[in-house]
Amino acid sequence: MNGKRLIFLGDETLKPSLQARVEHADYVMHEAFCLDSEEKIFHAYEKNHSTVKTASRLMNDLGVKNLILYHTEDSHGEKRKELYVKEGKEYFKGNVYVPDELEILEI
């Protein structure tokens, strides 16, 4: 990957003990189960998941360059990507990607 670091965090929130490994990564794949305003509907925290806001804010604080949000709920249909990117960019300074199923991202 041309010397770039891609970190895949799996299906849960980032454990504090692993934050140093994620710092300043070029790309991080982080689950974002729902928009922050919908947490009480989807109960992301109960399921050890994150909202777009919490994932974006944490990755921004860790100096990540590009954030790929996945494992999202599907109630927004075609607006999902737009809504998730918009919320992500409120809290993350780098690039925010929300791929569709089977979409290929070139990194």
Side-chain angles (χ1 to χ4, degrees), residues 12-62:
E12 296 183 354
T13 58
L14 175 64
K15 293 177 177 30
S17 61
L18 298 175
Q19 287 183 1
R21 289 182 157 191
V22 173
E23 277 186 312
H24 308 293
D26 296 291
Y27 293 86
V28 171
M29 295 177 65
H30 195 299
E31 59 82 25
F33 195 66
C34 61
L35 299 171
D36 195 64
S37 63
E38 298 175 326
E39 200 286 325
K40 290 184 180 180
I41 298 168
F42 295 106
H43 309 287
Y45 301 135
E46 259 180 47
K47 300 169 185 163
N48 204 26
H49 290 310
S50 301
T51 65
V52 175
K53 177 181 177 179
T54 55
S56 300
R57 182 180 278 165
L58 177 58
M59 294 302 106
N60 192 68
D61 290 347
L62 293 174

Side-chain angles (χ1 to χ4, degrees), residues 33-34 42 71-78 80 84 100-101:
F33 195 66
C34 61
F42 295 106
H71 193 307
T72 62
E73 57 79 26
D74 290 328
S75 67
H76 296 290
E78 292 181 15
R80 179 186 64 90
Y84 278 60
D100 292 320
E101 286 185 38

Side-chain angles (χ1 to χ4, degrees), residues 90-103:
E90 289 180 40
Y91 304 97
F92 185 77
K93 293 178 184 172
N95 299 310
V96 177
Y97 302 96
V98 181
D100 292 320
E101 286 185 38
L102 302 177
E103 181 177 349

Side-chain angles (χ1 to χ4, degrees), residues 1-19:
M1 239 178 56
N2 300 327
K4 296 188 190 270
R5 278 192 320 141
L6 167 68
I7 309 252
F8 173 70
L9 294 177
D11 190 23
E12 296 183 354
T13 58
L14 175 64
K15 293 177 177 30
S17 61
L18 298 175
Q19 287 183 1

